Amino acid sequence: MAGSEIWARRERKLTSILEQAREQVAVRGIGLDEQQLLRVLELPDDDVPELLQLAHEVRLEYCGVEVEVEGIISVKTGGCPEDCHFCSQSGVFDSPVRSVWLNIPELVQAAKETAATGASEFCIVAAVRGPDIKLMNQIKFAIDRIRSEVDINIACSLGMLTQHQVNQLRDWGVHRYNHNLETARSFFAEVVTTHTYEERLETCHMVREAGMELCCGALIGMGETLAQRAELATQLAALDPHEVPMNFLNPRPGTPLENQGIMAGRDALRAIAAFRLAMPRTVLRYAGGRELTLGDLGTREGLLGGINAVIVGNYLTTLGRPATADLDLLVELNMPIRELQKTL
Ligand code: SF4
């Protein structure tokens, strides 16, 4: 078979995945499986606009036009004993981030500032393997203070939990817990050696079973293959999380991935659309690295290609865009911010 004919066949096969996705996801609301997602991720650049349009239609159909806005704050930054190769907060590497603890008045003030942007979510994050009793006591104190002074939902991200800690957080009023899978099971051991994928999954399952919303994210662009990206989307979909934050690697100095190149914006957009087609009803949130990977133009394309939530302001160790830049963009795109009472 001539090369041009092989290419033409491949083009027909790849194009048909968009037709399949329209019928299966947009019409019937059934997410794509791993093999289908791989075909989406392999679509040529020319098909990306149509792919994004389809992902946007799926988002509008199953999630609506509203965008969920969240602020995050770190109560303990850096000095983590784990060795996640992408993370500048690991104390194992020679990275410039050093352990810092935030005090409670600063935390309450940050929650107030987040609420003032119109955000419905405020996530308290600590760089730890899992919380000890001292941290849990501080978190309880912080939650009580925020709940008494600020009208906002409280989420937490404190690493791996015991069943007792899951129950405590739920009983204290934490409505959502973040614990990322980060990458595909088949790639995980390449980037983390101090804990296992199964340990991460265990916390995710306990959170779900306790009745809290599960926020479980991805970090794309660490050197995983397209097949592993499809695998990750499928593994996330199997957990049926309420929310999936999508991070794109921002190679941080001093980490083992510092020389990993920044992924191409087109590949990031393909990944966003593929994740939407895997999880039509999930909140899909822009998280870290999107400014670097996508820039302003790509940020807009992603919001019109499957994303329906943003983190405003800064991330844990890197600066984001000013909150007003994102809020202005939502106004321009006619995407209202989801109000607090609708998420309670
Ligand atoms: S990703 Fe989390 S667990 Fe891993 S090193 Fe960073 S803070 Fe620690």
Side-chain angles (χ1 to χ4, degrees):
M1 195 181 304
S4 60
E5 197 180 334
I6 294 173
W7 182 249
R9 279 194 175 192
R10 181 167 178 268
E11 287 275 288
R12 276 198 297 280
K13 183 177 159 219
L14 292 175
T15 303
S16 73
I17 186 62
L18 287 175
E19 291 156 11
Q20 275 183 34
R22 180 168 297 284
E23 195 279 325
Q24 179 177 322
V25 191
V27 176
R28 293 193 285 135
I30 300 169
L32 297 185
D33 66 24
E34 192 171 334
Q35 286 309 312
Q36 291 173 314
L37 289 168
L38 177 57
R39 289 168 62 197
V40 165
L41 290 166
E42 288 176 342
L43 281 169
D45 281 357
D46 285 352
D47 284 342
V48 170
E50 188 182 342
L51 169 64
L52 294 174
Q53 174 61 32
L54 176 60
H56 186 52
E57 287 170 31
V58 168
R59 168 264 177 112
L60 292 177
E61 177 67 26
Y62 296 101
C63 304
V65 71
E66 292 178 324
V67 172
E68 192 187 277
V69 174
E70 178 185 69
I72 59 176
I73 188 88
S74 177
V75 290
K76 187 249 171 184
T77 306
C80 179
E82 301 304 289
D83 76 343
C84 308
H85 291 16
F86 48 85
C87 182
S88 60
Q89 302 204 61
S90 169
V92 177
F93 312 125
D94 189 20
S95 133
V97 175
R98 283 292 157 255
S99 191
V100 176
W101 291 78
L102 200 74
N103 65 33
I104 299 293
E106 283 174 345
L107 196 65
V108 174
Q109 183 57 30
K112 286 181 180 168
E113 287 170 12
T114 299
T117 67
S120 57
E121 301 288 320
F122 183 70
C123 185
I124 303 169
V125 182
V128 289
R129 175 183 168 89
D132 57 14
I133 288 179
K134 179 177 161 222
L135 178 58
M136 287 297 281
N137 287 339
Q138 288 178 326
I139 294 292
K140 165 130 182 39
F141 188 57
I143 290 169
D144 289 345
R145 284 284 304 276
I146 293 170
R147 282 166 67 91
S148 69
E149 294 187 39
V150 191
D151 195 16
I152 198 160
N153 286 328
I154 299 173
C156 285
S157 180
L158 312 171
M160 290 177 281
L161 300 176
T162 63
Q163 184 65 59
H164 178 60
Q165 289 168 334
V166 169
N167 295 345
Q168 282 183 309
L169 292 173
R170 178 200 57 204
D171 296 345
W172 296 342
V174 172
H175 89 124
R176 187 179 298 176
Y177 191 80
N178 163 260
H179 197 54
N180 294 342
L181 286 187
E182 307 291 12
T183 193
R185 183 194 295 269
S186 66
F187 191 65
F188 190 81
E190 307 267 325
V191 289
V192 182
T193 69
T194 47
H195 59 270
T196 65
Y197 205 69
E198 278 60 38
E199 285 178 286
R200 285 201 172 235
L201 277 175
E202 200 182 339
T203 293
C204 294
H205 286 304
M206 284 191 289
V207 165
R208 282 220 53 177
E209 281 156 23
M212 280 187 282
E213 290 180 357
L214 174 63
C215 165
C216 187
L219 175 51
I220 314 282
M222 293 193 283
E224 74 281 357
T225 63
L226 292 184
Q228 285 168 325
R229 243 169 246 173
E231 179 192 336
L232 170 59
T234 310
Q235 286 161 351
L236 282 168
L239 277 172
D240 191 21
H242 182 86
E243 171 188 337
V244 171
M246 292 199 71
N247 298 277
F248 304 98
L249 181 71
N250 180 347
R252 305 307 297 158
T255 65
L257 293 182
E258 67 177 335
N259 295 319
Q260 179 75 30
I262 297 165
M263 74 182 291
R266 288 276 107 179
D267 290 340
L269 291 171
R270 260 185 281 259
I272 288 168
F275 276 55
R276 171 55 68 205
L277 296 178
M279 295 170 278
R281 295 169 184 80
T282 299
V283 174
L284 203 57
R285 188 183 301 279
Y286 263 146
R290 56 127 166 164
E291 292 83 0
L292 190 69
T293 306
L294 290 165
D296 287 349
L297 190 61
T299 291
R300 172 191 295 262
E301 287 182 281
L303 278 163
L304 294 168
I307 292 286
N308 69 328
V310 295
I311 292 173
V312 286
N314 295 330
Y315 303 116
L316 300 175
T317 59
T318 56
L319 299 177
R321 307 195 321 162
T324 48
D326 280 330
L327 300 175
D328 289 349
L329 179 59
L330 297 183
V331 170
E332 190 192 323
L333 295 175
N334 260 326
M335 293 181 182
I337 295 174
R338 182 173 299 170
E339 292 171 16
L340 179 62
Q341 60 269 25
K342 294 185 186 168
T343 64
L344 288 172

